[in-house]
Amino acid sequence: MTDVVVTGLGATTPLGGDVATTWQALLNGESGVGPLTQEWAKELPVQIAAQLREEPSTKIPRVRQRRLDRSEQIALIAAQEAREDAGFETFELDPERLGVCFGSGIGGAVTLLEQDDILEEKGPRRVSPHTVPMLMPNGPAAWIGLEAGAKAAVHAPTSACATSAEALAWGHDMITAGRADIVIAGGCEAVVHPLPIAGFASMKAMSTRNDEPTKASRPWDKNRDGFVLGEGAGAVVLERADHARARGAKIYAHLAGAGMTSDGYDIVAPDPECRGGMRAISMALRQGGVQASDVGHVNAHATSTPVGDMGEAHGVAKAIGTHPIVTSTKSMTGHLLGAAGAVESISVIKALHDGVIPPTINLDEPDDALDIDVAAHTARKADIRAAINNSFGFGGHNVCLLFTKA
């Protein structure tokens, strides 16, 4: 099978405006969660979120901002960093061999809601002519493809919270199928808005720890009471290994395998036995030719919900064992929805490359049934050879990505 490697990383998150600052904050155990100070948040049952540490306006000119939904803005910022990191300007790139696979779980919902307000208050002639390109779900992928000049194909998967992990999996498939030499893969989400927050809150899915924002996201803790909504974007440059070596690119890690399954269980509730997740893990290991005993680290999907966290923990223990060092970086970033898989994959890639695993913060009283080795409170140094990122989404989507050390 064609060897696929990672040659570029880009991100903007609640912890930092790029990969370096995000990664350092993760290792430091910092929380990106804070109070919502907007006027519209005062009546909401949930008044906390993990908002971007660095506003897109620092990198996107004001005139251009008016043509881009916030999700598109941050997608472009992450993709640009990844392209620069991969050294796109240092070699002759064949646009017909360059692809994009970049998704969003919800897309341009803020644009849709804002333009609907304008329609209701001021009439149809005041609606922006940029509305449709701003709200369409493939907008972030399309803009990345246009900026990069990608002509192999531009895909925009939408699989709820598994979206960007699925984007990496499809990017891997594009390269192994011979359709592209390089793929910019990842995802974005920017829906810190009263309607999504109210909707999630009505489902009783979100933490209401409004008085302690930095302690609200607490995977596997006895006192967890739901996830914290976050916003951000992550981009990964995937490349055919021989192509990368021929141009002298730095290689962070190998994307050795990917498993994708569906639960067939419920539209929002995960299978409590994590059967679909376990199948995805097994598929990734099989494709990558890696034994479960060789996996040293798992970045879990663990969102801080009462049911989902423990189901996944038991699934990981059954599918891999209790030996890997497990973490949930959502304890610091909050849940980035469609961007989660990409940003968490970047964490896994950096863990392999740098030999250190970020902690899970706020795990003060571990669930009595927790049977895995969680890196609680502080980062751990570890020379790991293989690591996994899990991403599960509403609708029963399960994606497992297997990375191995370069």
Side-chain angles (χ1 to χ4, degrees), residues 125-142:
R125 293 184 183 277
R126 299 297 296 275
V127 172
S128 169
H130 305 297
T131 298
V132 173
M134 290 171 70
L135 65 82
M136 62 190 193
N138 66 312

Side-chain angles (χ1 to χ4, degrees), residues 21 65 88 94 96 141 148 159 172 186 223 250 261 302 304 320 324 327 358:
T21 53
Q65 287 179 53
F88 271 36
D94 181 357
E96 294 186 4
S159 304
H172 178 276
N223 298 308
K250 69 174 175 292
T261 67
S304 188
I320 306 173
T327 196

Side-chain angles (χ1 to χ4, degrees), residues 37-70:
T37 58
Q38 297 90 332
E39 187 68 24
W40 51 254
K42 291 183 178 179
E43 301 302 319
L44 292 172
V46 173
Q47 299 175 12
I48 57 174
Q51 300 175 91
L52 290 174
R53 180 66 60 87
E54 185 176 297
E55 280 296 305
S57 57
T58 62
K59 294 174 182 174
I60 304 286
R62 183 178 298 178
V63 173
R64 194 168 192 214
Q65 287 179 53
R66 291 198 292 266
R67 299 182 59 186
L68 297 168
D69 182 77
R70 186 175 176 88

Side-chain angles (χ1 to χ4, degrees), residues 39 43 61 71 107-108 154 216 249 270 280 286-287 305 325 344 365 372:
E39 187 68 24
E43 301 302 319
S71 65
V154 174
R286 187 164 57 249
Q287 186 179 57
T305 55
I325 302 170
E344 290 160 21
E365 294 184 69
I372 52 176

Side-chain angles (χ1 to χ4, degrees), residues 59-307:
K59 294 174 182 174
I60 304 286
R62 183 178 298 178
V63 173
R64 194 168 192 214
Q65 287 179 53
R66 291 198 292 266
R67 299 182 59 186
L68 297 168
D69 182 77
R70 186 175 176 88
S71 65
E72 295 172 335
Q73 294 174 31
I74 61 177
L76 286 170
I77 289 169
Q80 180 61 31
E81 183 187 1
R83 287 164 56 198
E84 291 175 359
D85 189 37
F88 271 36
E89 302 301 320
T90 65
F91 68 101
E92 188 174 346
L93 183 66
D94 181 357
E96 294 186 4
R97 301 294 299 167
L98 171 64
V100 173
C101 197
F102 205 95
S104 174
I106 297 178
V110 173
T111 290
L112 176 63
L113 293 164
E114 289 177 347
Q115 291 300 314
D116 182 64
D117 288 343
I118 291 171
L119 175 66
E120 297 292 334
E121 295 169 10
K122 300 180 180 180
R125 293 184 183 277
R126 299 297 296 275
V127 172
S128 169
H130 305 297
T131 298
V132 173
M134 290 171 70
L135 65 82
M136 62 190 193
N138 66 312
W143 278 115
I144 291 170
L146 288 167
E147 285 215 341
K151 296 183 178 179
V154 174
H155 300 296
T158 301
S159 304
C161 310
T163 292
S164 56
E166 188 169 302
L168 266 69
W170 286 120
H172 178 276
D173 286 355
M174 287 176 70
I175 294 172
T176 58
R179 293 172 51 210
D181 297 325
I182 303 176
V183 176
I184 304 167
C188 59
E189 207 75 83
V191 288
V192 178
H193 182 280
L195 182 60
I197 292 174
F200 281 127
S202 292
M203 296 171 61
K204 308 297 183 185
M206 300 182 75
S207 173
T208 56
R209 198 183 288 256
N210 295 326
D211 55 340
E212 295 181 301
T214 61
K215 297 180 180 180
S217 185
R218 42 196 320 111
W220 301 301
D221 189 83
K222 284 183 181 179
N223 298 308
R224 65 191 184 277
D225 67 331
F227 76 87
V228 176
L229 179 64
E231 59 180 351
V236 174
V237 174
L238 303 176
E239 190 166 351
R240 206 180 73 238
D242 58 342
H243 186 278
R245 295 190 184 100
R247 68 179 184 87
K250 69 174 175 292
I251 295 174
Y252 284 102
H254 299 258
L255 177 50
M260 293 185 283
T261 67
S262 54
D263 284 345
Y265 179 79
D266 188 83
I267 191 65
V268 292
D271 179 343
E273 297 183 27
C274 197
R275 287 170 291 195
M278 288 191 289
R279 286 192 295 115
I281 291 170
S282 297
M283 289 171 64
L285 292 174
R286 187 164 57 249
Q287 186 179 57
V290 171
Q291 298 297 314
S293 58
D294 294 328
V295 176
H297 169 46
V298 176
N299 192 314
H301 180 68
T303 62
S304 188
T305 55
V307 176

Side-chain angles (χ1 to χ4, degrees), residues 306-331:
V307 176
D309 287 10
M310 294 313 301
E312 182 186 11
H314 295 322
V316 166
K318 288 181 180 179
I320 306 173
T322 58
H323 63 278
I325 302 170
V326 183
T327 196
S328 172
T329 46
K330 288 186 182 73
S331 62

